[in-house]
């Protein structure tokens, strides 16, 4: 058709005819799919390419027997079977099912195009003897390939890296990665880039070639359990083992820290102003890193405060206060007033209550910290001076709230007086200021007033009966009194044994 034209122009027209025919046929197919609901797939695209091929060789002026045309059509269309077999046995069965590696649709399309291109070159060379024309095409293709290579090297590098990530699977959707100084969750892996989301819901779209060019820190491989580290400095005067014990208790009870593997504490440095300790703890899903770090640091502050361990200032600090802070004497006076109204201590004199309060300890507990744990051993009681706390018991594996404590309430007296294990968990609902009365302090008071033992045993027996519901449900007064005498005698004996009287 265009034999009279120069070779270069004829080649250009042939290429235009090929591309134009393919896109016209493809557009007709998409129109039928949208309007008539005709489902067209891979085979239709191959038909479009075959039509484009015949239009191109007709425009170029290549003539051959009809048998060659039929054979060429059969070979070109048979690539649909080859591509279907590759999709089924290579991509689906081997990679996705056996190796659990998802293959992007883009890669399937590229491989299918290569298979068709090989068949097309074979048809042109063997069926139409177009070796001379192919040499020109190959020469032109090299030039085009070089131009495209320089223009789109980052684009193709991203595609190749994406294929590498899909095959090697250094990370998958849902994993948490450390990217530079940021921690982010993998949301999507496509053929060009990896999309990440940070704890602040900020999305990062990083090209795959940049991902594979750096070390990938996967916090969820092989499992999502991983260690985190926090450092804290304390004054030189504190013995290291005492500090380590306090930091261990604080980190182990923080919400979100795993019980296994256990928390580890290391002394890592002697700096100018403090001894530096490192807390190594384990957590699960990294999405809660901010909350867990906050819980660990908060528990550390309160635990060090209770143990009188100071976190030093790195500079000289001048504190100016316009009003005087609440003194320890005021807190002790408040505790004395509470204890005088407590039935358990009615038998004590003012002087004995004074000694009790003077020798007791005043501690701070932060919100959500456990003051006592159900089932734990204990030999002390507590007076809540400020704040609020929740009492809960375990039942069938769940924690059930049973009471709320406020300023002025006492708890834990049964463990103080008998050494029984804690029967409930008390957790601070807000920052609490609590006085703790220990067994040695109480023992000194009881030794000075042995007549209080009978009064204490009667009160403990009454409380036990109330807890059991006997006072409300007793069939007769005589039965109630008998049970009370039995409990009173039992508690009297336990008090004498516990306090070695």
């Amino acid at each position: 058709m265009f034999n009279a034209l120069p070779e270069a122009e004829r080649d250009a027209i042939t290429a235009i005819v090929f591309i134009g025919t393919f896109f016209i046929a493809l557009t007709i197919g998409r129109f039928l799919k949208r309007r008539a609901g005709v489902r067209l797939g891979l085979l239709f695209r191959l038909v479009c390419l075959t039509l484009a091929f015949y239009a191109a060789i007709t425009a170029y002026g290549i003539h051959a027997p009809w048998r060659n045309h039929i054979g060429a059509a059969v070979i070109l269309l048979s690539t649909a079977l080859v591509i279907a077999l590759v999709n089924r046995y290579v991509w689906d069965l081997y990679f996705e099912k056996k190796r659990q590696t998802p293959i992007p649709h883009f890669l399937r399309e590229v491989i299918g195009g290569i298979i068709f291109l090989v068949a097309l070159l074979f048809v042109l060379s063997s069926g139409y003897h177009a070796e001379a024309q192919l040499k020109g095409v190959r020469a032109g293709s090299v030039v085009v390939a070089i131009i495209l290579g320089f223009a789109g090297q980052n684009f193709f590098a991203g595609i190749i890296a994406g294929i590498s990530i899909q095959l090697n699977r250094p990370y998958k959707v849902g994993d948490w990665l450390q990217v530079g100084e940021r921690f982010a969750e993998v949301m999507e892996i496509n053929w060009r880039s990896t999309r990440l989301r940070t704890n602040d819901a900020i999305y990062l779209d990083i090209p795959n070639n940049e991902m594979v060019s750096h070390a990938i820190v996967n916090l969820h491989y092989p499992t999502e359990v991983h260690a985190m580290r926090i450092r804290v400095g304390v004054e030189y005067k504190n013995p290291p083992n005492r500090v380590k014990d306090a930091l261990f208790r604080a980190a182990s009870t923080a919400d979100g820290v795993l019980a296994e593997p256990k928390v580890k504490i290391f002394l890592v440095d002697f700096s100018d102003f403090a001894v530096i300790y490192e807390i190594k703890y384990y957590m699960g899903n990294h999405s809660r890193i901010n909350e867990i770090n906050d819980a660990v640091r908060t528990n550390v502050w309160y635990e060090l405060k209770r143990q009188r361990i100071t976190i030093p200032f790195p500079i000289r600090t001048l504190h100016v206060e316009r009003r005087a802070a609440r003194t320890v004497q005021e807190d002790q006076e408040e505790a004395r007033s509470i204890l005088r109204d407590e039935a358990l201590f009615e038998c004590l004199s003012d002087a004995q209550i004074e000694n009790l309060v003077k020798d007791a300890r005043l501690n701070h507990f932060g919100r959500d910290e456990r003051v006592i744990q159900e089932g734990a051993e204990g030999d002390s009681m507590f007076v809540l001076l400020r704040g609020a706390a929740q009492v809960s018991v375990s039942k069938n594996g769940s924690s059930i709230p049973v009471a709320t404590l406020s300023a002025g309430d006492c708890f834990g007296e049964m463990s103080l007086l008998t050494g029984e294990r804690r029967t409930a968990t008390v957790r601070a609902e807000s920052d609490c200021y609590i006085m703790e009365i220990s067994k040695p302090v109480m023992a000194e008071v009881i030794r000075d007033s042995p007549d209080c033992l009978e009064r204490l045993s009667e009160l403990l027996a009454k409380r036990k009966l109330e807890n059991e519901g006997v006072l409300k449900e007793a069939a007769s007064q005589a039965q109630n009194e008998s049970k009370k005498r039995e409990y009173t005698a039992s508690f009297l004996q336990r008090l004498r044994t516990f306090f070695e009287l």
Side-chain angles (χ1 to χ4, degrees), residues 15-66:
I16 293 172
V17 170
F18 181 88
I19 296 172
T21 304
F22 173 73
F23 280 106
I24 290 172
L26 196 63
T27 302
I28 294 173
R30 289 178 177 174
F31 176 81
L32 292 174
K33 182 179 179 181
R34 288 197 303 268
R35 293 297 179 89
V38 180
R39 305 184 69 178
L40 304 173
L42 173 65
L43 184 59
F44 176 75
R45 290 197 295 274
L46 293 178
V47 170
C48 294
L49 288 170
T50 304
L51 288 176
F53 162 72
Y54 279 111
I57 63 174
T58 302
Y60 193 80
I62 296 177
H63 301 285
W66 62 271

Side-chain angles (χ1 to χ4, degrees), residues 461-475 479-480 483 487:
K462 182 179 179 182
R463 290 192 176 183
K464 184 175 179 64
L465 290 171
E466 290 174 348
N467 291 337
E468 294 177 353
V470 174
L471 290 178
K472 297 180 180 179
E473 301 175 3
Q479 180 182 352
N480 183 39
K483 198 74 173 176
Y487 283 169

Side-chain angles (χ1 to χ4, degrees), residues 236-288:
Y236 272 86
K237 67 180 182 181
N238 301 290
N241 286 336
R242 181 164 171 257
V243 176
K244 288 181 179 180
D245 290 342
L247 295 178
F248 177 83
R249 286 192 299 271
S252 298
T253 57
D255 183 34
V257 174
L258 300 179
E260 292 293 338
K262 292 185 179 297
V263 172
K264 294 182 179 179
I265 311 297
F266 305 97
L267 194 160
V268 295
D269 193 17
F270 296 100
S271 66
D272 293 338
F273 298 96
V275 180
I276 307 300
Y277 294 84
E278 184 174 77
I279 305 170
K280 179 182 178 182
Y281 69 89
Y282 289 83
M283 60 177 291
N285 193 293
H286 200 84
S287 60
R288 296 191 60 220

Side-chain angles (χ1 to χ4, degrees), residues 26 144 274 308 352 478 483:
L26 196 63
V144 173
R308 312 298 191 265
Q352 289 171 324
K483 198 74 173 176

Side-chain angles (χ1 to χ4, degrees), residues 95-156:
F95 282 100
E96 296 198 350
K97 187 173 182 180
K98 184 176 180 180
R99 297 192 59 184
Q100 299 295 312
T101 302
I103 301 300
H105 183 71
F106 176 80
L107 178 60
R108 295 171 183 255
E109 294 286 340
V110 169
I111 298 300
I114 292 174
I115 293 173
F116 183 85
L117 179 61
V118 170
L120 179 62
L121 293 176
F122 174 77
V123 167
L124 289 172
S125 177
S126 301
Y128 296 96
H129 306 288
E131 292 87 352
Q133 290 82 357
L134 289 176
K135 289 180 181 178
V137 173
R138 283 197 295 269
S141 299
V142 170
V143 175
V144 173
I146 293 174
I147 295 173
L148 291 176
F150 281 108
Q153 55 183 343
N154 290 333
F155 176 79
F156 290 111

Side-chain angles (χ1 to χ4, degrees), residues 191-210:
W191 55 268
R192 188 194 67 83
S193 63
T194 296
R195 181 167 294 181
L196 309 172
R197 183 180 65 185
T198 69
N199 290 86
D200 301 319
I202 296 174
Y203 282 82
L204 308 174
D205 198 44
I206 303 178
N208 288 324
N209 56 314
E210 293 185 17

